[in-house]
Amino acid sequence: MNPDDDDFDVEVVDKSKEWADFLSKKYKQEIRTIGREFPYKRSLIINYETLQKFGKTGVKLADELLSYPNKVFAEVRDALRAHNLLARKDAHDIIPRINIRFVNLPRKTLVRDIRSEQMNTFVSVDGIIRKTTEVRPRIVEAVFRCPNGHMTLREQGYGRFVEPESCGMADCTQKRLELVHLKSKFVDAQKIRIQETPEGLRGGEQPQILDIDATDDLTGLAAPGDRVIVNGILKSIQRMTGGTKSTTFDIYLDCNSIEFGEKEFEEVNITEEDEAAILELSQDPNLYRKIAHSIAPTIYGNEDVKEAVSLQLFGGIAKEMPDGSTLRGDIHVLLVGDPGIAKSQLLRYVVKLSPRGIYTSGKSATSAGLTAAAVKDEFGDGKWTLEAGALVLADMGVAAVDEMDKMQKDDRSSLHEAMEQQTISIAKAGITATLKTRCALLGAANPKLGRFDEYVGISEQINMPPSLLSRFDLIFIMTDKSDKQRDEAIAQHILKAHSVGELIMQHKKTPIKGVDEAYILKELAPVTPEIDPVMFRKYIAYAKRNAFPIITQEAKETLVEYYMKLRGLASPDKPVPVTARQLEALVRLAEASARTRLSTSIERDDAIRVIKIVDNCLRKVAYDPQTGSFDIDKIITGVSKQSRDLIRSIKETIRQSGDDTGTARTDQIIDILSQKGFARDAIEKQIESLLRGGEALSPRNGLIKLI
């Protein structure tokens, strides 16, 4: 026997002993659980950090895992077998079926940084899941039978199916073999495609993708939109183009373990110290002011908008009724404002604060990009698969859509169902599915003419369909009027922010005398959020997880009283001011207000606070300056009650004063109606719109006839 071989044997035994030593000290309990609950629990999950901290041997074993992962998996199984760590009689049969998984690797590799020398090594990649295929059985050991009854076994890998050319028996010459399903071995398999996280991308780079091969108990865990860290062995497969083999190889990751990032509010990690700080903060008498000031502190003013956005982040309570229907808890807010009023800045800040936020711009978003697209590619083996869009990816978070007025008409209609029912129903390419979009929508839009015109009704200036506007709980009109005091304060604020930024950048390049951390912090005070963003996220997560307030009788009475007061403004000749949707919005906002201070009940103060916000919004949006009253019809239908009355009067007058063919003179109609008190220009405008809308025609100049 070669002495070198002998040494090699000793080495292997040592390795197995080292692993057994590590496992029996650190993972005894987990191995015992697997022994007891196999096959329902069949994965031994080892923390890489624990292994690395296990003395010198731990460091050596950890390094070996990164370079020779397959060898390490075999050694761990050897350790389990040789040292009888799995206290079961049938341990010998079970051990090959146990999965050895490693998590918590310290170094992450970016998808774009994967290179050929990393082939067959253990890597850790993070990204967002783009799409997944369904879980299907894959053959790993194929057994073939020849007509003489001999069995031939072929192990199968990822990709192409390998068939033996002839029977495996020495004397047998049979070439026709058939697969024996019952004796072959199958495993659950699923393909997952991940995409790089957008944070790490440079300018014009397109996010790169990597395919993951998940098997056994890793299948079916991940859904599109999840942020994950995938650990596994990097492998390659040869490209085939039209039956010819290419010299280029495609890479994929043979998945060993999946770790989920912050999935939603549930995943935000809150320690006991954090909890103490959160509870202390909730008792602060200035809590609402502090929270409003912690949202985009670089933007001056806009207190009411910031307060509303903070309520949106906390959200109302989603309720499930006994009959299976659900009432949404998410609050939708629309900001319509003149250019340069920092709407986009606010949107981006909110997306950063929300544990799951997606930012998109209406100009570059299609309905498929917002909802879901059906795509056909080699990923699903040529089948149609659904690719989740922005609203689906923002499930349980905030979706910010900028430039909503620039969206195509058809694309905007896809938002209707997503906002009210919080689902998206899809029937494309033979796929009929309903996806969940439980997200709060924060939209921003510019007025139709670029800036607001004070003398024209708001609904005519917002280039959005009334059906969509009525689904927003709050619509803010942000006008940019000149006001000496306010303008000066804004100018000072902006210049202060810029000068501090310049100071910091110059100090980085060449340290300035007398400038230290304390000085910079003092200078930054006006643009520093009062509640640290990390703490703010934890506070929101804690509130969403633990605060489920119940409305008190006083709050109920206050809300009903306000609702009745607005409804009471309606009379036969006045427009109906408010619908039940506004009352629901009030309730959701009141829930969010109580949640903000982690209360168990919605008090009268909460009701008063939200009535003030809603009243401000309604005053600007639904106020009809001609009648001096609220007119929610302006939002819901886009036509105020007054113009509806005028249209009806025009049609009646044409019918009454027309000749036998129903044709009337336009100037005569204008005269009759102006005597009834309607404004001449309003009448002319409505006649024009009737002709344009195809409800009337003008056979000759100066004549009009209803169609």
Side-chain angles (χ1 to χ4, degrees):
M1 187 190 260
N2 190 332
D4 291 350
D5 287 355
D6 200 33
D7 287 352
F8 188 66
D9 278 348
V10 171
E11 176 88 13
V12 170
V13 170
D14 276 353
K15 277 277 154 55
S16 145
K17 187 170 181 328
E18 282 172 5
W19 273 111
D21 195 27
F22 168 70
L23 293 172
S24 57
K25 281 193 179 141
K26 299 281 182 187
Y27 285 93
K28 204 168 196 170
Q29 195 58 47
E30 286 85 341
I31 294 170
R32 204 174 285 160
T33 310
I34 292 173
R36 205 171 46 243
E37 295 180 18
F38 188 87
Y40 301 104
K41 198 167 167 34
R42 52 181 183 276
S43 288
L44 174 61
I45 297 166
I46 299 171
N47 190 331
Y48 184 87
E49 220 170 88
T50 313
L51 176 64
Q52 216 175 15
K53 287 179 180 163
F54 189 68
K56 268 188 184 171
T57 55
V59 174
K60 206 163 69 185
L61 294 174
D63 288 348
E64 198 165 80
L65 166 73
L66 298 180
S67 310
Y68 309 107
N70 285 326
K71 179 169 168 264
V72 167
F73 298 152
E75 283 165 359
V76 175
R77 287 200 179 89
D78 277 350
L80 290 172
R81 195 181 290 114
H83 296 267
N84 201 17
L85 294 175
L86 208 67
R88 273 178 74 139
K89 285 183 182 143
D90 54 354
H92 198 75
D93 304 326
I94 287 174
I95 286 167
R97 289 165 63 195
I98 288 177
N99 301 308
I100 314 296
R101 309 208 181 283
F102 288 88
V103 294
N104 203 2
L105 267 76
R107 210 168 72 235
K108 310 274 178 288
T109 308
L110 294 174
V111 177
R112 63 182 57 249
D113 293 340
I114 291 173
R115 297 291 176 263
S116 54
E117 61 265 18
Q118 286 169 298
M119 282 303 139
N120 300 317
T121 64
F122 202 77
V123 294
S124 181
V125 181
D126 64 348
I128 301 173
I129 293 184
R130 270 271 294 273
K131 49 186 171 176
T132 59
T133 59
E134 59 269 294
V135 179
R136 288 287 177 263
R138 182 199 296 158
I139 196 161
V140 281
E141 274 183 16
V143 175
F144 298 89
R145 186 199 290 126
C146 77
N148 295 341
H150 303 132
M151 298 291 181
T152 307
L153 187 136
R154 273 279 181 283
E155 288 207 354
Q156 303 290 336
Y158 174 82
R160 289 175 60 221
F161 181 62
V162 184
E163 294 189 66
E165 288 173 7
S166 61
C167 178
M169 286 294 282
D171 310 337
C172 189
T173 56
Q174 292 285 353
K175 292 258 195 307
R176 281 184 56 223
L177 307 179
E178 62 171 327
L179 181 66
V180 186
H181 282 261
L182 286 172
K183 299 215 169 177
S184 300
K185 227 192 223 170
F186 291 86
V187 68
D188 290 328
Q190 181 183 30
K191 274 167 86 176
I192 299 170
R193 178 168 284 176
I194 67 166
Q195 170 183 312
E196 288 179 298
T197 47
E199 292 90 63
L201 293 181
R202 292 203 309 270
E205 287 181 321
Q206 194 178 338
Q208 296 199 6
I209 52 174
L210 178 68
D211 285 352
I212 313 287
D213 178 37
T215 54
D216 201 19
D217 54 356
L218 291 178
T219 54
L221 296 179
D226 290 345
R227 285 182 175 240
V228 291
I229 296 167
V230 185
N231 309 306
I233 305 168
L234 207 59
K235 294 196 171 174
S236 59
I237 188 165
Q238 196 164 14
R239 249 185 223 175
M240 298 280 287
T241 40
T244 56
K245 291 182 179 176
S246 164
T247 52
T248 312
F249 280 64
D250 283 323
I251 52 168
Y252 71 95
L253 195 69
D254 186 358
C255 184
N256 177 260
S257 63
I258 298 178
E259 300 168 60
F260 288 91
E262 281 182 10
K263 198 169 180 183
E264 47 199 69
F265 290 102
E266 302 301 319
E267 301 290 326
V268 177
N269 208 357
I270 296 172
T271 60
E272 281 181 19
E273 296 91 68
D274 289 338
E275 193 172 344
I278 286 167
L279 292 172
E280 188 188 332
L281 183 60
S282 70
Q283 300 302 320
D284 192 322
N286 296 329
L287 177 67
Y288 291 97
R289 190 189 58 79
K290 269 191 175 175
I291 282 180
H293 281 202
S294 300
I295 293 175
T298 45
I299 301 167
Y300 179 82
N302 293 330
E303 301 298 320
D304 51 346
V305 178
K306 287 182 182 180
E307 193 173 343
V309 167
S310 73
L311 292 179
Q312 183 185 32
L313 281 168
F314 284 94
I317 301 165
K319 306 161 198 79
E320 278 187 31
M321 294 294 147
D323 64 350
S325 62
T326 53
L327 298 176
R328 75 173 161 97
D330 291 307
I331 297 162
H332 302 313
V333 180
L334 177 68
L335 312 176
V336 185
D338 292 330
I341 212 157
K343 298 186 297 293
S344 304
Q345 192 101 347
L346 197 66
L347 260 64
R348 284 191 180 278
Y349 199 88
V350 170
V351 166
K352 269 209 305 239
L353 277 180
S354 171
R356 215 177 194 190
I358 299 279
Y359 176 90
T360 175
S361 176
K363 185 77 178 143
S364 53
T366 61
S367 59
L370 284 173
T371 55
V375 289
K376 188 178 187 180
D377 58 7
E378 83 299 334
F379 176 68
D381 301 325
K383 281 197 202 131
W384 285 95
T385 50
L386 278 184
E387 207 165 301
L391 291 176
V392 180
L393 295 180
D395 186 36
M396 303 300 270
V398 174
V401 184
D402 206 352
E403 310 271 355
M404 278 186 87
D405 52 318
K406 312 281 190 306
M407 284 171 73
Q408 301 293 321
K409 213 173 186 173
D410 309 348
D411 298 339
R412 248 188 324 227
S413 61
S414 65
L415 293 172
H416 288 192
E417 185 195 352
M419 287 174 75
E420 203 56 58
Q421 274 71 42
Q422 302 219 295
T423 56
I424 283 171
S425 306
I426 283 168
K428 294 177 180 177
I431 301 169
T432 311
T434 301
L435 305 173
K436 284 190 169 63
T437 58
R438 292 159 300 181
C439 62
L441 191 82
L442 177 58
N446 285 344
K448 226 180 219 177
L449 307 166
R451 284 183 84 82
F452 274 114
D453 181 347
E454 283 179 52
Y455 306 104
V456 181
I458 294 289
S459 57
E460 293 169 44
Q461 300 195 57
I462 303 174
N463 187 19
M464 283 166 82
S467 52
L468 190 61
L469 286 178
S470 71
R471 283 173 164 80
F472 282 102
D473 297 313
L474 292 172
I475 300 173
F476 280 98
I477 304 296
M478 299 163 77
T479 49
D480 187 12
K481 290 182 183 159
S482 59
D483 166 355
K484 192 171 177 219
Q485 242 178 330
R486 188 168 165 271
D487 290 348
E488 192 176 335
I490 289 176
Q492 293 290 355
H493 185 81
I494 290 172
L495 289 170
K496 178 83 181 158
H498 277 277
S499 64
V500 177
E502 288 158 2
L503 179 84
I504 293 168
M505 295 315 286
Q506 191 177 10
H507 182 62
K508 267 188 196 167
K509 184 86 176 74
T510 49
I512 305 165
K513 201 176 175 193
V515 173
D516 56 3
E517 286 293 313
Y519 179 77
I520 288 176
L521 281 176
K522 186 168 132 291
E523 288 291 300
L524 276 175
V527 291
T528 307
E530 293 195 30
I531 305 168
D532 179 63
V534 177
M535 185 64 192
F536 198 2
R537 280 178 75 158
K538 287 182 177 175
Y539 190 89
I540 294 170
Y542 187 84
K544 282 215 159 191
R545 219 182 286 177
N546 300 308
F548 295 97
I550 297 169
I551 193 160
T552 58
Q553 194 57 39
E554 298 88 63
K556 224 183 260 182
E557 283 164 10
T558 311
L559 291 178
V560 170
E561 188 188 322
Y562 175 67
Y563 178 65
M564 294 308 287
K565 190 178 110 193
L566 287 178
R567 292 288 288 185
L569 290 174
S571 59
D573 59 332
K574 275 190 182 174
V576 178
V578 171
T579 64
R581 263 188 180 157
Q582 273 68 37
L583 181 62
E584 286 202 330
L586 280 167
V587 174
R588 277 191 285 271
L589 287 160
E591 287 168 356
S593 174
R595 240 184 188 180
T596 306
R597 51 169 214 283
L598 306 180
S599 171
T600 51
S601 58
I602 300 164
E603 306 292 340
R604 188 161 175 267
D605 289 353
D606 295 310
I608 292 168
R609 183 178 294 110
V610 299
I611 284 172
K612 195 175 117 225
I613 296 174
V614 172
D615 201 58
N616 272 344
C617 287
L618 282 180
R619 255 173 221 293
K620 286 193 176 174
V621 179
Y623 188 71
D624 192 347
Q626 285 158 323
T627 59
S629 64
F630 287 128
D631 182 0
I632 209 75
D633 283 7
K634 289 183 82 171
I635 301 180
I636 291 179
T637 62
V639 182
S640 68
K641 182 169 185 300
Q642 211 185 10
S643 30
R644 268 210 302 277
D645 292 346
L646 178 55
I647 292 167
R648 196 174 59 244
S649 305
I650 291 173
K651 287 183 178 175
E652 274 174 21
T653 315
I654 293 173
R655 284 192 197 101
Q656 284 163 7
S657 57
D659 56 15
D660 303 341
T661 58
T663 313
R665 283 181 45 222
T666 315
D667 51 359
Q668 190 184 346
I669 290 192
I670 294 172
D671 288 341
I672 295 169
L673 288 171
S674 56
Q675 282 163 15
K676 287 186 182 175
F678 290 108
R680 287 187 82 90
D681 57 345
I683 304 164
E684 284 168 6
K685 198 172 165 189
Q686 283 303 345
I687 290 177
E688 183 71 32
S689 72
L690 284 174
L691 290 169
R692 239 197 345 260
E695 290 183 65
L697 61 87
S698 178
R700 266 199 332 277
N701 211 2
L703 296 179
I704 188 166
K705 177 185 175 182
L706 289 177
I707 295 172

